[in-house]
Amino acid sequence: MDAPGDAAEHGRDRRTLLAGTAQNVVGLVVFVLGTFGANVLVARAFGTAAAGATALGVVTLATQFAFVAAAGTRFGMDMAAVRDVAIEAGRGAGGRIRAIVDRAVAVAALVSAAVAVPVFLAAPWLGARLSDQPDAGSAIRWAAAALPFVAVTFVSLGASRGLKVMRHTLVVQWIGQPLLWIALMPLAWRLERTATAAVAAYTVSWVVSAIVARALWVTEARAFGREPAAPGETARLVRYGAPRAPAALLSQGLFWIDYFVASTFVARGVVTSEELGVYSSSVRIALAMVLFLTAVSYVFSPFVADLHEKGETARLDEMFKSITRWTVTGTIPVLGLMLVAPEPLLRIFGGDAFTGGADALRILLIGQTVNVGVGAAGFVLIMAGRTGWDLTVYALSFVLDLVLALVLVPRFGVEGAAVAQTVTVAA
C-alpha cells in the first residue's frame, strides 16, 4: 500500500496527466481542423480539382520535407530538453535548466542552419527530380529556410513540457502555427497565386512560432533563477542527441518516405502529379490517428524521465498502461468513421477527384491502428535515455519501408506506397 504522501503525489500526477490530455484533445481538434483547412485551401485555390491536386502535391512535398528534415536537424534537443528539465526540476535543481536549454537551442539551430544552406542552394536540382512542376524548386527553397525555426520551436516547447507545462505546446504548436499558416496564405496569394507562395506562408508561420515559443519558455523559467551549466554540458547533450537525431529523422520519414518514393516515379509516368496530390490527402487523414497518441505522449514524457531517474518503475508501468488505454479508447471512434466513410473525408479536399485515394486510406489506417495500440513505447525509450535502441528500431523500419516502396510503387502505384507504409508501421 502506498504511504499517504505517495498516494497524494500519485493523485497529483494523475490529475496533471488528465488535465494535460484534456488540453491536448482540444488542441488536437484545432490542429487537425487547421491542417486539413490549410490543405483544403490549397486544393481549392487553383480553379480546377486537377490543378488543386497538383498544387497540393508540391506543397506537401515541400512542407513535409521541412517538417521531416527538422526532426533530424534539431538533433534530439527537443527530447533532451524535456528529459533534462524534468529530471533537474524533479531533483529540486531547477536553477540549471535555463543554461541547459540555451545550449540545446543553440545546438538545434546550428545543425539546422548547416543543413538548410546546402538544401537551399540545391533546391532547383531537388525540385526537378522530385516533381514535374516548375515551381517545386522554389517551394523547396522556402521549406529549407523554415528548418532552423521549426527546430527552435520544438526545443523551446519541449523545455516547457519538461516542467509539465502543456499549454505552450497547445497554444503554439497545436493551434497557433496551423491557423497562422491559413491566415498568411491568402495574403501571400495576393502577390503570387502559386504553390511556392503557400510554402512561403508556411515558413513565416514557423518564424513567428519560434519567437513566441522561445518567449514563453523564458518567462516560465525565470521563476527558477539561473545557475551556470555544469562542465561538459554541451558535450553531454550532443552524446544524447547523436543517435536521437537520425532516429527522429527516420521516425518522421516512415510516414512520408513512400510518398517521396512515389514522387520520383512521376517523371517516369508511373504515378501522375494528380495521383500524388490525392495520396498526400490520404496520408494526412491517416496521420490523424497518430495525433492523439502523440498528444498524450507529450504529456507523459516528463513523467517517464522523472520516474525512471528515481527508479520508480512500478509506478511508471502503471501510468504507461493507463495512457495506452486512454489512447486506444479515444482513437476507436475516429478509426470507425474513417473506415466506413473515407470518400466524404477525401472529398473535402476538392470534390470527387480526391475520392480515388479511398483504397490507399483504408490500407494506411490498418498500420496506424497497430501503431496506436502499441502505445507510447518509443517515448519511454527516449526519456529513459535509450536513444541507441530507438535508433536501431527506426533504422531497420526505414530500410523496410524504402525497399517495399521501391518494389510496390512501380507495380501498384500509390496503393503500393500505402502497403509499404502499413507493413512497416505494423512491423
Side-chain angles (χ1 to χ4, degrees), residues 10-400:
H10 184 71
R12 283 194 300 271
D13 287 350
R14 184 172 289 274
R15 287 192 295 273
T16 301
L17 280 169
L18 287 170
T21 301
Q23 290 179 23
N24 269 327
V25 168
V26 174
L28 176 65
V29 171
V30 177
F31 180 82
V32 170
L33 293 177
T35 302
F36 280 8
N39 285 274
V40 169
L41 186 61
V42 172
R44 291 179 174 269
F46 292 87
T48 66
T54 299
L56 181 59
V58 174
V59 171
T60 300
L61 180 69
T63 57
Q64 289 308 310
F65 166 80
F67 195 79
V68 171
T73 62
R74 58 182 177 259
F75 207 72
M77 292 300 101
D78 53 335
M79 294 293 104
V82 176
R83 184 172 184 267
D84 286 358
V85 169
I87 290 173
E88 294 297 324
R91 290 172 177 168
R96 297 180 58 235
I97 61 177
R98 292 179 68 183
I100 292 172
V101 174
D102 285 349
R103 282 159 175 74
V105 167
V107 170
L110 288 172
V111 173
S112 296
V115 173
V117 170
V119 171
F120 185 90
L121 296 175
W125 180 84
L126 289 170
R129 280 149 184 80
L130 295 177
S131 175
D132 60 352
Q133 298 303 301
D135 61 343
S138 56
I140 292 174
R141 181 164 282 170
W142 272 103
L147 292 181
F149 301 101
V150 179
V152 170
T153 301
F154 272 74
V155 176
S156 300
L157 295 177
S160 295
R161 291 198 303 276
L163 294 175
K164 300 173 183 175
V165 176
M166 197 62 224
R167 62 182 179 275
H168 296 174
T169 300
L170 172 71
V171 170
V172 178
Q173 181 178 331
W174 293 130
I175 297 178
Q177 187 273 324
L179 294 186
L180 183 59
W181 184 21
I182 290 175
L184 289 173
M185 267 194 287
L187 298 177
W189 283 334
R190 289 186 178 182
L191 301 175
E192 182 183 68
R193 188 172 289 271
T194 62
T196 297
V199 180
Y202 175 85
T203 296
V204 174
S205 73
W206 280 111
V207 173
V208 175
S209 297
I211 294 170
V212 174
R214 177 67 179 168
L216 290 173
W217 158 251
V218 169
T219 300
E220 202 71 42
R222 281 177 185 157
F224 293 88
R226 187 179 187 99
E227 297 176 12
E233 193 72 73
T234 302
R236 184 188 61 79
L237 286 170
V238 170
R239 285 194 300 272
Y240 176 88
R244 178 58 197 156
L249 178 62
L250 295 172
S251 69
Q252 290 295 328
L254 284 182
F255 300 122
W256 290 101
I257 186 62
D258 48 277
Y259 174 86
F260 290 130
V261 168
S263 72
T264 66
F265 285 93
V266 171
R268 307 178 200 182
V270 176
V271 177
T272 68
S273 294
E274 184 178 349
E275 287 174 335
L276 193 65
V278 170
Y279 182 57
S280 73
S281 66
S282 300
V283 175
R284 288 187 180 279
I285 292 175
L287 284 178
M289 287 277 293
V290 188
L291 291 175
F292 189 80
L293 173 62
T294 303
V296 173
S297 299
Y298 275 9
V299 183
F300 185 43
S301 295
F303 290 92
V304 176
D306 186 25
L307 293 175
H308 182 268
E309 181 70 15
K310 293 175 179 177
E312 299 182 19
T313 54
R315 188 169 157 198
L316 174 58
D317 180 62
E318 179 188 350
M319 293 181 73
F320 176 81
K321 292 173 181 175
S322 296
I323 285 288
T324 303
R325 284 194 293 269
W326 298 351
T327 304
V328 172
T329 301
T331 303
I332 287 175
V334 179
L335 172 64
L337 174 64
M338 291 181 180
L339 285 173
V340 172
E343 288 86 0
L345 289 171
L346 289 163
R347 197 173 285 117
I348 293 172
F349 284 86
D352 291 338
F354 283 82
T355 59
D359 290 339
L361 176 55
R362 287 192 174 99
I363 295 168
L364 291 168
L365 289 173
I366 297 171
Q368 297 305 341
T369 301
V370 177
N371 189 20
V372 171
V374 170
F379 279 85
V380 174
L381 289 177
I382 297 164
M383 290 297 104
R386 303 294 194 269
T387 52
W389 295 0
D390 184 54
L391 173 58
T392 300
V393 171
Y394 283 117
L396 294 173
S397 299
F398 183 88
V399 171
L400 177 60

